Amino acid sequence: MNAVANYNFAYLDEQTKRMIRRAILKAVAIPGYQVPFSSREMPMPYGWGTGGVQVTASIIGPDDVLKVIDQGADDTTNAVSIRAFFAKVAQVQTTTHTAEASIIQTRHRIPERKLEAGQILVYQVPIPEPLRFLEPRETETRKMHALEEYGLMHVKLYEDIARHGRIATTYAYPVKVEGRYVMDPSPTPKFDNPKMHRSEALQLFGAGREHRIYAVPPHTDVVSLDFEDHPFTIQHFEQPCALCGAEQVYLDEVILDDRGGHMYVCSDTDHCEERREAGHVGVLGMKEAAE
Amino acid sequence: MSDEPLLRVSNLTKYYGSRLGCADVNFELYPGEVLAIVGESGSGKTTLLNTLSANLEPTSGEALYRMRDESWRNIYELSEAERRFLTRTDWGFVHQNPADGLRMTVSAGANVGERLMAVGDRHYGKIRDTALDWLGRVEVAADRIDDQPRSFSGGMRQRLQIARNLVTGPRLVFMDEPTGGLDVSVQARLLDLLRQLVGELGLSAIVVTHDLAVARLLSHRMMVMKGGHVIEAGLTDRVLDDPREPYTQLLVSSILQV
């Protein structure tokens, strides 16, 4: 033990973790309701997932296996640094495999592999209030949630259709949780919204700057808002992943050169690697292997 | 007009701390009737309107409203949820400044449709058709439906605000200086429109104005306020043609003649 500086297990002190766990319990008890909590300063800037990190730090134990993804990828700055952070302050095992993880902290994606009972998905949330850009007053939005006045949410969707001919919101697509609270699923693509519906995993949302925690317990109804004549749809991609040939997954466009060359690859890197190991190849993956 | 009133106000008093807003206001409003509240600036007419529309809590007194199910309810004893539901379905509020009553950053169609969506309408096509119909009724061109009110003139904004309020078929509309800030020809057109809509829909309305001409054109009855008290009330033509109180005589005689 180093006598100079010692972190408590998982960085936060026990009283703070207790406070956050109470907020989480309340959030689980009222699905979709934003519970205020006293967010702490974390050794990383706001916008880097301080809310998610605090939630993870409060629920993680020595036996947990942690996976961190950023836009579906395990190897981007945000994911690498948060994974390293917990490896250091909690000495927990980390992984990039969705199936092996007990806690998955995510920024903007839900893994392609179906989550199972016992797993916990922790979201990093920048703006938890779905009504924020329509109604700037916090006192008013709280009242609207309390009285279930959600007509305004449809005004936003109406505007989309009036301007673009369809609902053009593609991320942070508002959902209604268990028939009561309207919730912002954080800026995940709407492609992932159906995965939240009756998920077997517990889903926790932490917004550090905004001091809010909310949750979707397992097997909870999560319904995307829409109009009767403009029903909710998810994104569809015309070609499969260029590396692993996967279809029905969320793809990222990767620019290859300055002459307009590009390819579409799985946004979920772990999913893509697992498929390639299992022998699936896409158009560009094949060329790579041949060279 | 029906025999039974829509609104019964008794001894309504509003103090701001120790300062008087309005005191001991009593009146009844019947379906289809337009009541004008006139008086000089600071006489308590806007306080009275805000109290009547449940934006302010009165210090004492009550206002009984006949709900759609014919039950009489004191509007200050309704739960917040009931009151908010009432104010966005059965009531309307037309602000003097349209920017206060409109959402300036969403299109005209969404402004009109908001109340429909708030009461559970979830069919885009139907909402849009209703919005188009209402824009037509308030003489806003149909091709402006997707424009934001920011790009509208003052008169158009005010007409849009009226459409937004009337779309749910309210029975009672509060108006605070609906023609204030508009130039005279636009005022005349708006008054024409208001008079026509009120007549067609059988609305009751309470209109606050400092402009006696507006009261003359729109209202059936009027109340004159001074220093927070109602000093004279009666049929509009009677009050304007034969004012009894010295203050009312002063008010009527100070109208500019062209």
Side-chain angles (χ1 to χ4, degrees):
Chain A
M1 280 269 193
N2 187 339
V4 181
N6 242 331
Y7 289 118
N8 187 31
F9 177 78
Y11 189 76
L12 293 174
D13 62 275
E14 292 304 317
Q15 283 305 311
T16 300
K17 286 197 235 172
R18 186 161 174 253
M19 173 270 293
I20 295 176
R21 285 175 195 144
R22 289 170 72 125
I24 293 172
L25 286 175
K26 184 167 179 182
V28 170
I30 317 171
Y33 172 70
Q34 300 167 47
V35 183
F37 79 110
S38 168
S39 179
R40 297 290 192 254
E41 291 288 329
M42 296 304 282
M44 60 191 73
Y46 287 129
W48 283 63
T50 53
V53 167
Q54 289 178 74
V55 170
T56 303
S58 307
I59 58 172
I60 203 165
D63 303 331
D64 274 313
V65 182
L66 180 70
K67 171 182 160 83
V68 185
I69 50 174
D70 172 8
Q71 309 276 3
D74 290 281
D75 52 5
T76 53
T77 318
N78 194 251
V80 170
S81 56
I82 292 173
R83 198 161 53 229
F85 175 76
F86 280 110
K88 183 173 179 184
V89 300
Q91 290 96 41
V92 289
Q93 203 189 327
T94 60
T95 181
T96 59
H97 298 301
T98 306
E100 290 169 14
S102 57
I103 299 175
I104 304 168
Q105 183 170 332
T106 174
R107 173 171 178 265
H108 305 358
R109 275 311 308 281
I110 298 174
E112 302 292 354
R113 173 189 280 273
K114 191 166 174 285
L115 297 178
E116 287 159 14
Q119 289 187 306
I120 302 177
L121 190 59
V122 178
Y123 295 74
Q124 305 168 196
V125 181
I127 295 166
E129 179 52 71
L131 302 160
R132 177 60 67 237
F133 292 109
L134 301 151
E135 177 51 69
R137 288 167 295 177
E138 174 71 15
T139 46
E140 186 66 15
T141 52
R142 279 201 210 186
K143 203 168 276 177
M144 289 160 84
H145 280 295
L147 301 177
E148 232 179 314
E149 288 179 5
Y150 291 130
L152 200 51
M153 209 68 248
H154 275 86
V155 171
K156 182 180 187 295
L157 302 178
Y158 173 97
E159 278 294 278
D160 264 5
I161 304 173
R163 274 191 217 160
H164 307 286
R166 66 199 155 80
I167 298 177
T169 305
T170 52
Y171 66 96
Y173 194 103
V175 292
K176 194 164 214 180
V177 181
E178 202 64 14
R180 176 61 179 84
Y181 283 96
V182 165
M183 181 186 93
D184 183 343
S186 89
T188 51
K190 66 177 177 181
F191 183 89
D192 287 340
N193 275 15
K195 291 183 200 162
M196 308 179 82
H197 181 59
R198 298 199 181 155
S199 166
E200 285 179 21
L202 170 63
Q203 305 174 73
L204 302 174
F205 299 76
R209 183 183 47 209
E210 305 285 326
H211 301 211
R212 292 289 184 280
I213 285 173
Y214 51 105
V216 175
H219 309 289
T220 303
D221 284 344
V222 178
V223 180
S224 305
L225 301 181
D226 58 4
F227 283 104
E228 287 160 17
D229 47 346
H230 286 267
F232 172 78
T233 53
I234 59 171
Q235 291 102 329
H236 285 287
F237 297 91
E238 282 169 14
Q239 61 260 71
C241 169
L243 295 179
C244 74
E247 292 178 25
Q248 314 297 324
V249 295
Y250 194 73
L251 301 178
D252 283 338
E253 184 182 7
V254 178
I255 307 290
L256 294 176
D257 51 38
D258 59 0
R259 293 183 300 280
H262 62 107
M263 66 173 185
Y264 286 94
V265 293
C266 286
S267 135
D268 185 339
T269 52
D270 172 55
H271 183 72
C272 198
E273 278 163 21
E274 275 179 12
R275 277 180 58 87
R276 274 181 286 160
E277 272 164 31
H280 297 280
V281 251
V283 191
L284 288 171
M286 203 132 39
K287 209 196 284 174
E288 208 172 69
E291 273 168 7
Chain B
M1 282 186 205
S2 130
D3 294 340
E4 210 179 0
L6 191 63
L7 185 69
R8 264 193 194 126
V9 177
S10 44
N11 300 321
L12 203 65
T13 303
K14 171 72 189 173
Y15 276 94
Y16 297 103
S18 60
R19 211 172 294 273
L20 178 67
C22 61
D24 294 325
V25 177
N26 293 284
F27 69 90
E28 286 181 347
L29 185 74
Y30 286 81
E33 187 182 37
V34 179
L35 174 71
I37 303 170
V38 302
E40 62 188 5
S41 169
S43 60
K45 50 191 198 300
T46 298
T47 295
L48 176 59
L49 191 75
N50 282 331
T51 312
L52 288 172
S53 59
N55 288 330
L56 291 175
E57 192 91 4
T59 311
S60 62
E62 58 174 21
L64 296 172
Y65 181 71
R66 185 158 57 84
M67 311 291 273
R68 288 193 188 215
D69 63 2
E70 299 292 318
S71 65
W72 285 92
R73 303 285 301 271
N74 184 353
I75 55 174
Y76 307 114
E77 281 168 8
L78 295 174
S79 72
E80 191 168 15
E82 286 176 310
R83 194 161 65 222
R84 284 171 71 108
F85 185 76
L86 182 74
T87 52
R88 64 165 192 258
T89 53
D90 216 15
W91 288 5
F93 197 108
V94 178
H95 294 264
Q96 174 174 11
N97 180 3
D100 295 341
L102 291 172
R103 283 189 196 280
M104 298 303 277
T105 53
V106 303
S107 68
N111 262 296
V112 178
E114 181 178 344
R115 277 177 161 228
L116 295 174
M117 294 182 245
V119 294
D121 239 323
R122 294 287 178 266
H123 193 284
Y124 174 81
K126 284 181 199 159
I127 293 168
R128 199 170 168 82
D129 288 345
T130 315
L132 272 173
D133 176 43
W134 270 100
L135 289 182
R137 288 212 220 177
V138 297
E139 298 167 21
V140 173
D143 60 357
R144 302 302 299 271
I145 186 170
D146 292 331
D147 292 346
Q148 293 186 1
R150 283 198 279 217
S151 67
F152 284 14
S153 70
M156 280 170 77
R157 287 182 191 184
Q158 196 58 287
R159 296 202 298 274
L160 180 64
Q161 196 194 177
I162 290 165
R164 175 185 158 92
N165 272 290
L166 297 186
V167 69
T168 46
R171 294 190 300 161
L172 176 57
V173 179
F174 300 95
M175 298 187 211
D176 188 7
E177 305 274 8
T179 59
L182 300 176
D183 67 53
V184 186
S185 60
V186 177
Q187 271 192 27
R189 200 164 146 215
L190 188 75
L191 284 174
D192 236 19
L193 180 76
L194 274 176
R195 200 151 68 145
Q196 184 196 332
L197 286 174
V198 166
E200 263 175 31
L201 304 168
L203 291 175
S204 304
I206 299 177
V207 185
V208 158
T209 180
H210 64 269
D211 187 343
L212 294 180
V214 170
R216 172 81 94 175
L217 274 172
L218 276 183
S219 69
H220 304 114
R221 273 196 306 146
M222 63 190 283
M223 300 197 304
V224 182
M225 291 190 74
K226 181 172 187 288
H229 294 270
V230 176
I231 54 165
E232 186 166 355
L235 293 176
T236 302
D237 290 345
R238 203 281 294 156
V239 174
L240 291 178
D241 294 341
D242 178 23
R244 285 176 196 164
E245 292 292 321
Y247 175 75
T248 317
Q249 290 168 1
L250 187 75
L251 208 61
V252 171
S253 64
S254 60
I255 300 174
L256 290 176
Q257 301 290 336
V258 186

